[in-house]
């Protein structure tokens, strides 16, 4: 993913796209009713706001200069009005350009016994372990039931069949129906993939996933072209679950120490709310289903007649 496309680096593509999304009025510049040939700010306007020469900024956008200093990057981020996640992404992209001759060997993604122990500490709360590409590496029973009860519960254990949350959000009808405000969820998913591209530019499977989604979903392609970035932290959604109905939940994203990009997504609801009751009902449904399954198992029937 380090290669330039159409003569433009990922850094240059990000800069030019975000520049095009800004209007002069957004940054306090007068327009004088002029007719502009291109959308957004001109290169010279952004360069002036960032305090760099137009020639130098042009080289950055064209992928001809890959040695921007942290100070210059911060100035450009301020001029573009980037938030903290987008600012880090800009630095990641520039760092990729400075180090593009040294490719990193990415470790295999796995859930260690320590991570499984950590997942167990959340009790009945739905928990999903996600990898750097948003592949589902593991989930507890509640996490499986909440997000993908229509899929095989053991699928994360088979590397070739692991569900991917981005693929599910854009290509799976069940997952689309889970989110009342699906467009917002879709923007968040794309923004997190954008962040992943900056952090793991040498991941061919990440590039393949983005290519697949771009080809199969026009909505993904449109959002991807906007170069918006979302941080993995905390998000609130209204979900519409087929078993327990609508509920307002918080999805907490927790990085795993020394986890090589692995994160735990833990879902909670406001204490005492109807949404918390819905999550509790979902767990009760799982427990009842487990009891029925144990009662119907051959071993149980044999022991009961012994």
């Amino acid at each position: 993913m380090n290669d330039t496309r159409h003569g433009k680096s990922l850094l240059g593509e990000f800069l030019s796209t975000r520049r095009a999304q800004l209007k002069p009025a957004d940054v306090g510049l007068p327009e004088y009713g002029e007719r502009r040939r291109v959308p957004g700010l001109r290169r010279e306007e952004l360069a002036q706001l960032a305090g760099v020469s137009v020639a130098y900024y042009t080289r950055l956008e064209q992928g001809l200069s890959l040695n921007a200093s942290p100070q210059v990057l911060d100035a450009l981020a301020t001029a573009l009005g980037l938030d903290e996640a987008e600012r880090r992404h800009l630095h990641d992209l520039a760092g990729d350009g400075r180090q593009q001759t040294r490719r990193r060997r990415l470790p295999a993604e796995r859930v260690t016994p320590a991570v499984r122990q950590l997942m167990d500490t959340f009790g009945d709360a739905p928990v999903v372990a996600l990898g750097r590409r948003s592949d589902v590496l593991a989930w507890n029973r509640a996490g499986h039931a909440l997000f993908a009860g229509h899929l095989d519960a053991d699928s994360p254990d088979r590397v070739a069949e692991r569900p991917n949350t981005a693929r599910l959000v854009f290509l799976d009808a069940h997952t689309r129906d889970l989110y009342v405000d699906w467009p917002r969820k879709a923007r968040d998913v794309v923004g997190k993939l954008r962040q992943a591209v900056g952090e793991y530019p040498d991941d061919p499977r990440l590039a393949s996933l983005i290519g697949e989604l771009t080809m199969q979903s026009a909505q993904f392609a449109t959002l991807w072209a906007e170069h918006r970035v979302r941080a993995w932290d905390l998000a609130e959604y209204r979900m519409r679950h087929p078993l327990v109905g609508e509920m307002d939940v918080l999805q907490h994203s927790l990085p795993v120490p020394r986890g090589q990009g692995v994160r735990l997504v833990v879902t909670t609801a406001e204490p005492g709310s109807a949404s918390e009751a819905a999550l509790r009902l979902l767990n009760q449904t799982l427990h009842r289903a487990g009891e029925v399954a144990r009662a119907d198992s051959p071993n149980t029937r044999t022991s009961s007649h012994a």
Side-chain angles (χ1 to χ4, degrees):
M1 224 178 297
N2 281 324
D3 299 334
T4 58
R5 289 178 291 175
H6 306 296
K8 185 170 289 188
S9 67
L10 289 173
L11 172 63
E13 189 175 314
F14 179 77
L15 288 171
S16 62
T17 301
R18 297 307 299 268
R19 175 174 61 84
Q21 293 168 355
L22 280 178
K23 299 176 182 178
D26 295 334
V27 294
L29 294 176
E31 294 192 55
Y32 303 117
E34 56 188 319
R35 188 179 185 86
R36 291 180 169 245
R37 290 178 296 175
V38 294
L41 295 182
R42 298 187 179 101
R43 283 175 177 163
E44 56 267 28
E45 290 171 331
L46 184 57
Q48 180 181 7
L49 288 169
V52 299
S53 72
V54 178
Y56 176 66
Y57 176 76
T58 300
R59 290 197 301 273
L60 282 177
E61 261 200 21
Q62 294 177 341
L64 302 176
S65 179
L66 299 171
N67 60 348
S69 70
Q71 293 79 12
V72 166
L73 294 172
D74 282 336
L76 288 170
T78 300
L80 288 167
L82 304 184
D83 63 22
E84 188 57 36
E86 293 166 333
R87 185 181 293 261
R88 288 196 301 269
H89 181 66
L90 179 63
H91 280 267
D92 284 339
L93 293 180
D96 171 36
R98 288 192 294 265
Q99 303 169 15
Q100 61 179 327
T101 58
R102 294 178 8 225
R103 291 183 175 268
R104 292 178 293 170
R105 185 178 181 83
L106 296 172
E109 294 181 314
R110 65 191 186 95
V111 175
T112 64
V115 173
R116 292 193 183 275
Q117 290 176 22
L118 180 59
M119 293 176 67
D120 289 341
T121 64
F122 291 100
D124 286 339
V127 184
V128 179
L130 296 180
R132 55 183 170 265
R133 292 179 293 269
S134 297
D135 289 335
V136 177
L137 308 182
W139 46 29
N140 62 7
R141 287 204 312 164
H144 168 244
L146 178 62
F147 293 106
H150 62 303
L151 300 181
D152 185 350
D154 297 329
S155 55
D157 299 330
R158 299 184 291 274
V159 175
E161 300 176 30
R162 280 176 176 165
N164 176 276
T165 56
R167 190 180 284 117
L168 288 173
V169 165
F170 282 94
L171 304 180
D172 180 75
H174 172 90
T175 305
R176 181 183 286 255
D177 288 343
L178 276 180
Y179 291 93
V180 174
D181 187 357
W182 179 86
R184 178 166 164 263
K185 177 63 177 178
R187 289 193 298 272
D188 287 349
V189 166
V190 172
K192 290 167 184 174
L193 281 181
R194 270 290 175 197
Q195 185 184 56
V197 166
E199 294 179 358
Y200 305 102
D202 301 322
D203 189 336
R205 291 182 62 189
L206 177 57
S208 177
L209 171 67
I210 292 166
E212 173 194 343
L213 292 174
T214 300
M215 294 297 293
Q216 296 192 29
S217 170
Q219 291 159 312
F220 178 88
T222 298
L223 291 171
W224 187 252
E226 294 178 359
H227 283 260
R228 298 288 177 178
V229 180
R230 291 287 190 275
W232 284 93
D233 45 22
L234 180 67
E236 184 174 0
Y237 300 108
R238 173 161 291 184
M239 301 186 73
R240 185 190 298 112
H241 195 274
L243 292 181
V244 296
E246 288 195 5
M247 51 189 157
D248 295 315
V249 301
L250 290 175
Q251 293 180 6
H252 312 254
S253 177
L254 311 174
V256 174
R258 298 192 297 274
Q260 301 292 342
V262 176
R263 292 178 176 273
L264 297 186
V265 177
V266 183
T267 301
T268 64
E270 183 180 352
S273 67
S275 298
E276 185 190 46
L279 284 178
R280 192 162 53 245
L281 176 60
L282 181 62
N283 267 296
Q284 291 170 353
T285 302
L286 293 175
H287 290 313
R288 285 197 295 269
E291 291 171 357
V292 170
R294 285 192 296 272
D296 288 343
S297 69
N299 291 337
T300 303
R301 291 198 298 271
T302 300
S303 62
S304 66
H305 290 85

